[in-house]
Every structure is written in C-alpha cells, then in structure tokens.
C-alpha cells in the first residue's frame, strides 16, 4: 500500500465514508476503474492543492484492509477514523498506522464500558420488550458495539427508537441509529444500532480532524451515502451524498452529486478545484 502524498501544510480537508461511498461493494470493473482514477486524482490534489484525505467509517481497520485487497486499491489516506469514529489513526509515510494521542485520551476518559452496554441491552428486553440482535457476522470491535433492530410496525419502531436513545443517554453511552444498507452487507428492513463512547462518532471525528489539521471550514468537503453520514456532511462546508445514497439519507440531505460512487466524487472535486 502507498500513502497519499502528505503536504507540509494542509489547505483543504476531504472526508469520505468508505462503504458504498469510496468503496463499491459490487466491485464491478467499471466501478473499480473509477476508484483507481480517484486514487490518482487525490494524489494530484494532495501534491498541488495541499489537500489532506480522511476515511470516516464504521468499518474496522482489518475490514478496510480486506476490502482494499479485494478491490486491488493501493492508496491509503492521511487519516482513518475507523469503527464509527471510535478510533483515530494517522497514516505515516511508510503506511504505518499510529494512534492520535489526543483522540485516544477522549476515548479513555469517556467512561465507556461494555458491561454498561450489556446491562442496557438487558434492560431494554426485560422492561420494554425491545430486542436488539448482536451483529455477530462483523464481530464486536474495541469501543463500538453493534446491534440490529428489526421493526414490527411503524408506530412501535418510533417508540422503541425513542426508548433506546433515552436509555443510552441515561447510561452515559453514545449511540448511532440508522436504517441498514443491504448493499453494504446488512440485512434488509433493519436498523443499525451502534453503542459508542460519548463524544465520539462520525460528527465528532470530523470536528476533531478539522481542528487537528487547522483547516478553514470553508475548505472542507465530505462525501457519504447513508443515514449515519448526515451529521458528518453537515459538519463541513461542502457535504455531498452520492447518487447511490439510500432513500433515508436523501430524505435528510438535499446536496446530492449527479453520479454514484467515485464518479460522483470526481465530478464534485473537479468542479470545486476548477479542473
């Protein structure tokens, strides 16, 4: 793997969700050709416009590495906020991933406990008859605990989600809930329910990286495809859903690129940088 050329000074910051944004799960030849073109273009931006690149993703580093191998991708970004922003890595020129100490401190002092999450899951079931199913196919990583919620009816779903959010807040646990995207490997007609430390998540990770890189807000861009990207897109000056985004996401965010995946990213960036 190569690392995208690291400028001495960052003038711009571009942030990407990974699954179904930067990385197309179908891996069709025409899609991958656009990914390779995007990799080269980002190298150009880094060298000539002092751009830094970050992936802000629900995937773990191990999952990212496996997907990059499948797609024969060669370029790593400057930063990876993995596991839904509960981990923050700075990528060294030799490709080594190094934790960012100031972010690691936020995690350590958050008070997050896997036992607290397990107690919350038990309380939801015993008191409110709300059952969450562990996402065992992806495994549980670090400071993010993943579950599925399967809706029964629209009215009950709204009620249950309010209860889940309320209890998480009472327990001092951060939470992310959004409709699943089957294209990314999730079941249909289900919700992702992710428990994370307070003060983390995609929105917090983006805010941290903007400050860490000392980039003006007007010079920030972000791209996503699903409901859990909306807060990230709203944190930057120029946030775009791609054409392949979920209906849920498009109902929440009107700024949509005219093309899917890397093709949409290239279109927006070339217009933005006047190329």
């Amino acid at each position: 793997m190569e690392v995208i050329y690291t400028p001495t000074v960052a003038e711009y910051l571009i942030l990407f969700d990974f699954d179904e944004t930067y990385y197309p799960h179908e891996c069709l030849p025409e899609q991958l050709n656009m990914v390779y073109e995007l990799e080269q273009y980002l190298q150009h931006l880094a060298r000539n416009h002092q751009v830094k690149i970050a992936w802000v993703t629900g995937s773990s580093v191990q999952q990212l590495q496996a997907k990059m191998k499948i797609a024969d991708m060669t370029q790593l970004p400057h930063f990876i906020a993995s596991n839904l922003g509960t981990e923050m890595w700075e990528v060294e020129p030799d490709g080594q991933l190094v934790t960012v100490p100031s972010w690691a401190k936020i995690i350590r002092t958050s008070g997050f406990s896997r036992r607290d999450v397990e107690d919350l899951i038990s309380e939801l079931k015993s008191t409110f008859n709300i059952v969450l199913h562990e996402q065992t196919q992806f495994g549980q990583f670090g400071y993010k605990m993943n579950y599925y919620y399967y809706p029964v009816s629209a009215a009950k779903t709204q009620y249950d989600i309010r209860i889940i959010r309320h209890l998480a807040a009472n327990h001092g646990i951060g939470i992310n809930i959004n409709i699943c995207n089957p294209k990314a490997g999730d079941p249909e007609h289900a919700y992702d329910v992710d428990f994370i430390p307070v003060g983390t998540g995609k929105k917090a990770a983006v805010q941290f990286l903007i400050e860490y890189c000392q980039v003006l807000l007007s010079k920030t861009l972000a791209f996503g495809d699903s409901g859990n990207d909306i807060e990230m897109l709203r944190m930057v000056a120029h946030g775009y859903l791609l054409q392949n985004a979920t209906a849920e996401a498009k109902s929440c965010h009107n700024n949509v690129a005219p093309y899917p995946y890397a093709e949409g990213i290239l279109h927006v960036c070339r217009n933005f940088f006047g190329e």
Side-chain angles (χ1 to χ4, degrees), residues 32-44:
L32 293 182
N33 285 336
M34 295 303 298
V35 172
Y36 307 147
E37 185 176 341
L38 175 60
E39 289 186 320
Q40 295 305 310
Y41 182 67
L42 293 177
Q43 285 276 11
H44 160 75

Side-chain angles (χ1 to χ4, degrees), residues 52-66:
K52 286 204 171 185
I53 310 299
W55 292 344
V56 184
T57 173
S59 293
S60 68
V61 167
Q62 294 80 5
Q63 290 168 335
L64 292 173
Q65 291 169 335

